[in-house]
Amino acid sequence: LQENALSGTVPDSIFGLSALELLYLQYQYNNDWTCTRSSGETVNVYFSEGDATNGMNLGLIGKILDDNLANLTSLRDIRVGYNQFSGTISPKISHLENLGILRAENNKIRGSIPDEITMLENISEIWLQDNYITGEIPQNVGAMKNLENLKISGHRGLVGTLPPSLFELINLEFLYVNGNSLIGSVSENIGQLTKLM
């Protein structure tokens, strides 16, 4: 269902699809990234925020990463970026033992990154940039040994320091933590991340 111009709330019945392995709902804007306002003006929705009153499609809404997600235990890949999803990331995300990719960038997701996310042993990508994430990076982030791509930039509410265990992610190739409110120093152990690009 990705790369369409779908809008509205994702039906709750989707959380009953226990055999679902791929949840692709990303990029719910017009395929050419343009939309016509009620005034007749054509605008590029990729660079202009819109609202329902001017005719621009804002994508899907709802709480896609809440507790109901735990019912989808077969999920390997979640791609829900570039929508208007809200709510928080449920600690029950740890029930998705097969999850390898979590991409929920450019939404309206709030709250902290739950510590339970570090229990996802098969996860290789986490993209949460440009939401409304607050709190700190989980201290045990280094437990995700297969993590190759971590993008958590663009959250003024993301505070604290870079956890020491972050520098144990020897498979990490991409690390985006810019545009946050992190403090402290960068560990000498960053040299251990030899795959970092």
Side-chain angles (χ1 to χ4, degrees):
L1 296 175
Q2 68 183 7
E3 297 180 21
N4 285 290
L6 301 175
S7 59
T9 305
V10 175
D12 285 341
S13 58
I14 200 168
F15 298 112
L17 302 174
S18 59
L20 189 68
E21 294 184 12
L22 309 174
L23 180 59
Y24 288 1
L25 298 173
Q26 63 192 2
Y27 302 118
Q28 294 303 328
Y29 296 105
N30 288 350
N31 286 333
D32 61 1
W33 298 103
T34 61
C35 200
T36 304
R37 293 183 178 188
S38 56
S39 66
E41 175 189 13
T42 300
V43 293
N44 184 316
V45 296
Y46 188 76
F47 296 105
S48 303
E49 287 193 27
D51 59 51
T53 60
N54 66 23
M56 293 173 63
N57 179 35
L58 295 174
L60 296 167
I61 60 173
K63 298 179 179 179
I64 197 73
L65 299 179
D66 73 357
D67 287 350
N68 288 327
L69 190 67
N71 298 331
L72 303 178
T73 55
S74 297
L75 272 180
R76 293 183 292 112
D77 195 336
I78 300 172
R79 300 182 192 209
V80 295
Y82 291 91
N83 280 290
Q84 298 292 312
F85 290 121
S86 59
T88 60
I89 304 169
S90 171
K92 292 183 178 180
I93 197 165
S94 63
H95 296 188
L96 307 180
E97 296 175 359
N98 300 311
L99 191 63
I101 295 175
L102 171 60
R103 293 185 183 177
E105 74 278 15
N106 294 83
N107 278 291
K108 293 184 176 182
I109 297 166
R110 299 184 177 279
S112 62
I113 301 170
D115 290 335
E116 290 82 357
I117 203 168
T118 65
M119 297 169 67
L120 298 173
E121 295 178 0
N122 296 312
I123 196 98
S124 63
E125 293 185 17
I126 297 176
W127 293 13
L128 295 173
Q129 70 270 22
D130 299 316
N131 279 287
Y132 299 97
I133 302 294
T134 57
E136 298 185 6
I137 299 171
Q139 291 300 306
N140 199 27
V141 67
M144 297 183 284
K145 299 296 184 194
N146 293 310
L147 194 61
E148 298 173 359
N149 195 327
L150 178 60
K151 295 182 178 181
I152 51 174
S153 56
H155 305 291
R156 293 293 175 205
L158 190 61
V159 298
T161 60
L162 295 171
S165 72
L166 178 69
F167 304 104
E168 297 171 11
L169 295 171
I170 58 172
N171 290 311
L172 201 61
E173 296 177 4
F174 300 97
L175 175 63
Y176 292 20
V177 293
N178 51 297
N180 295 310
S181 296
L182 300 172
I183 60 170
S185 59
V186 177
S187 170
E188 284 290 330
N189 293 334
I190 195 168
Q192 296 176 175
L193 308 181
T194 58
K195 295 183 180 179
L196 210 56
M197 295 184 203

